[in-house]
């Protein structure tokens, strides 16, 4: 308890001493759906036994079921992007929006930070519509860059509409479902996320946020970057993920030149597409000061490095420590 109290005190002091905290580039609306196994019983599906057998994105309804069932059977967190508008419409028709709440890595980080004594928390939200603006906490230290400078999201939104949604299918330890005549029991409470967000898939840093951060870089002490998991390998206009990450690096380089003391954190999230994940690993890992991953995400990085991913999924602490030291 003494160690815990000391860490809390240290963290509160660091928060008070910090300058503005910037968060980009992934804010969205989440739709929370509680999984009812009885509605899924007796599906005729082939269950992926390994992560490598999963689709890299959801292109058809069968891909959706594979991701959900794999996540349920293993009690593992998993996120897959929806590439098909038809599948997006089918999920909407089948499950509805669920319970709407604030989502996206950047927005959730902002929500988690506002209770702490940070003077200013600046979050990137594009497009900033009324529906998502209303989901942000009413906190005096939370800001977006609006037409008239810094303001709370609810005072800066432009229009209405839900342009993107990330469905979160939550399941609980001990729930059971029958697939192809066999009963599977979920070993650990977790969630499967199916994400539709084509509008932000290029991870484009738009104005007025971009100009504000460059002009006021000296006022920012920490920058937390996320959203790589919604990127595509090749875009309809011919751009590649490498092209888009290079543009992001140009922005990061410009900001670093303005403020060399700024700390950059990379939140990995579930980058299922191999080319996207490899581009992030090769181009960005060495450019950031810290890295955030869960056990599934770390297992993918370990596999890319030539290690057995099962060591991570089995929570082998020694192996996890070894791989993290080499990332």
């Amino acid at each position: 308890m003494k160690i815990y109290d000391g860490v809390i005190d240290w963290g509160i002091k660091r928060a008070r001493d910090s300058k503005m905290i910037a968060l980009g580039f992934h804010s969205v609306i989440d739709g929370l759906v509680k999984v009812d196994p009885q509605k899924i019983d007796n599906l005729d599906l082939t269950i992926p036994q390994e992560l490598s057998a999963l689709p890299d994105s959801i292109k058809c309804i069968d891909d959706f079921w594979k991701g959900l069932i794999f996540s349920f059977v293993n009690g593992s967190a998993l996120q897959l992007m929806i590439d098909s508008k038809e599948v997006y419409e089918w999920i909407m028709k089948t499950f509805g929006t669920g319970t709407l709440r604030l989502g996206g890595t950047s927005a959730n980080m902002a929500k988690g930070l506002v209770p702490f004594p940070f003077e200013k928390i600046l979050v990137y939200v594009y497009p900033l519509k009324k529906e998502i603006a209303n989901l942000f906490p009413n906190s005096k230290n939370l800001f977006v860059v609006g037409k008239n400078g810094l303001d709370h999201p609810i005072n800066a939104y432009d229009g209405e509409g839900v342009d993107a949604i990330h469905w979160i299918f939550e399941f609980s330890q001990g729930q059971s479902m029958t697939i192809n005549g066999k009963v599977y029991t979920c070993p650990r409470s977790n969630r499967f996320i199916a994400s539709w967000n084509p509008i932000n898939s290029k991870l484009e840093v738009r104005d007025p946020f971009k100009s504000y951060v460059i002009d006021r870089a000296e006022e920012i002490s920490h920058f937390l970057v996320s959203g790589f998991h919604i990127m595509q390998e090749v875009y309809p206009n011919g751009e590649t993920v490498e092209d888009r990450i290079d543009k992001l690096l140009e922005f990061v380089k410009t900001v670093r030149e303005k403020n060399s003391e700024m700390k950059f954190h990379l939140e990995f999230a579930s980058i299922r597409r191999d080319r996207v994940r490899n581009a992030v690993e090769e181009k960005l890992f060495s450019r950031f000061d810290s890295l955030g991953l869960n056990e599934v995400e770390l297992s993918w990085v370990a596999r890319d490095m030539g290690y057995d991913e099962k060591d991570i999924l089995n929570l082998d602490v020694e192996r996890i420590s070894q791989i993290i030291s080499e990332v």
Side-chain angles (χ1 to χ4, degrees):
M1 181 61 71
K2 185 176 181 181
I3 294 176
Y4 177 82
D5 289 340
V7 171
I8 292 295
D9 291 341
W10 175 85
I12 294 295
K13 182 179 184 305
R14 286 294 300 272
R16 290 196 179 102
D17 292 342
S18 297
K19 297 180 181 180
M20 187 188 304
I21 309 299
L23 302 146
F25 302 95
H26 183 225
S27 299
V28 74
I29 290 176
D30 280 348
L32 180 63
V33 178
K34 297 289 186 180
V35 172
D36 182 354
Q38 291 184 347
K39 293 184 178 180
I40 306 176
D41 279 348
N42 300 313
L43 288 174
D44 183 17
L45 292 173
T46 300
I47 301 175
Q49 299 299 315
E50 304 287 344
L51 280 167
S52 57
L54 283 170
D56 59 6
S57 64
I58 299 172
K59 302 177 181 68
C60 62
I61 294 173
D62 191 54
D63 288 341
F64 166 81
W65 287 122
K66 284 180 179 178
L68 175 59
I69 300 304
F70 177 89
S71 193
F72 180 94
V73 168
N74 292 279
S76 299
L78 179 66
Q79 181 167 2
L80 293 176
M81 295 304 300
I82 302 168
D83 282 344
S84 164
K85 186 176 181 181
E86 288 73 21
V87 175
Y88 153 74
E89 292 172 344
W90 173 82
I91 296 176
M92 185 68 77
K93 181 179 179 180
T94 304
F95 297 98
T97 61
T99 302
L100 295 184
R101 68 182 189 186
L102 189 64
T105 317
S106 302
N108 281 325
M109 285 181 172
K111 184 178 180 180
L113 290 175
V114 291
F116 294 92
F118 293 103
E119 182 179 352
K120 292 179 180 179
I121 298 166
L122 175 63
V123 60
Y124 179 88
V125 189
Y126 181 83
L128 180 56
K129 300 296 185 180
K130 182 178 181 180
E131 286 81 357
I132 191 170
N134 277 323
L135 295 172
F136 280 96
N138 185 20
S139 302
K140 294 181 178 180
N141 60 346
L142 177 65
F143 299 92
V144 294
V145 184
K147 295 178 180 178
N148 300 313
L150 294 189
D151 208 340
H152 188 276
I154 197 57
N155 300 320
Y157 71 82
D158 181 18
E160 301 182 16
V162 177
D163 297 292
I165 183 170
H166 291 197
W167 279 283
I168 300 178
F169 295 89
E170 290 194 337
F171 42 82
S172 303
Q173 180 179 352
Q175 285 185 309
S176 297
M177 66 173 65
T178 302
I179 304 170
N180 298 330
K182 183 176 180 180
V183 177
Y184 293 88
T185 301
C186 179
R188 183 171 59 164
S189 298
N190 224 311
R191 60 187 188 171
F192 168 65
I193 304 176
S195 302
W196 173 254
N197 194 358
I199 198 165
N200 282 307
S201 67
K202 285 189 175 183
L203 212 67
E204 184 174 358
V205 190
R206 298 172 181 255
D207 283 325
F209 182 94
K210 181 179 181 180
S211 297
Y212 184 94
V213 168
I214 292 174
D215 293 342
R216 305 294 184 90
E218 288 292 340
E219 301 174 14
I220 302 171
S221 59
H222 298 80
F223 202 130
L224 287 72
V225 181
S226 63
F228 304 102
H229 60 295
I230 68 174
M231 299 187 79
Q232 299 179 28
E233 295 181 336
V234 180
Y235 295 90
N237 67 350
E239 281 189 301
T240 66
V241 63
E242 291 85 3
D243 296 330
R244 296 309 312 171
I245 286 180
D246 285 342
K247 289 185 182 296
L248 175 66
L249 278 174
E250 290 176 11
F251 169 73
V252 171
K253 181 181 178 182
T254 299
V255 174
R256 280 195 185 276
E257 289 173 351
K258 297 278 187 174
N259 181 4
S260 61
E261 299 299 317
M262 191 185 304
K263 299 296 184 183
F264 280 82
H265 171 82
L266 190 159
E267 190 63 21
F268 194 77
S270 294
I271 308 176
R272 189 71 188 95
R273 294 181 171 101
D274 290 343
R275 182 170 174 178
V276 175
R277 190 177 62 255
N278 291 334
V280 170
E281 293 165 353
E282 294 170 8
K283 288 178 172 286
L284 296 179
F285 274 13
S286 63
R287 304 293 187 95
F288 281 70
D289 301 293
S290 59
L291 175 65
L293 317 93
N294 65 25
E295 77 279 5
V296 173
E297 295 150 11
L298 181 58
S299 74
W300 294 342
V301 175
R303 186 185 62 202
D304 294 339
M305 295 170 61
Y307 290 101
D308 188 341
E309 63 190 28
K310 293 179 181 178
D311 292 337
I312 305 298
L313 295 174
N314 292 333
L315 302 180
D316 185 324
V317 176
E318 292 185 3
R319 177 64 78 180
I320 290 173
S321 299
Q322 176 187 351
I323 292 174
I324 288 177
S325 68
E326 297 180 20
V327 170

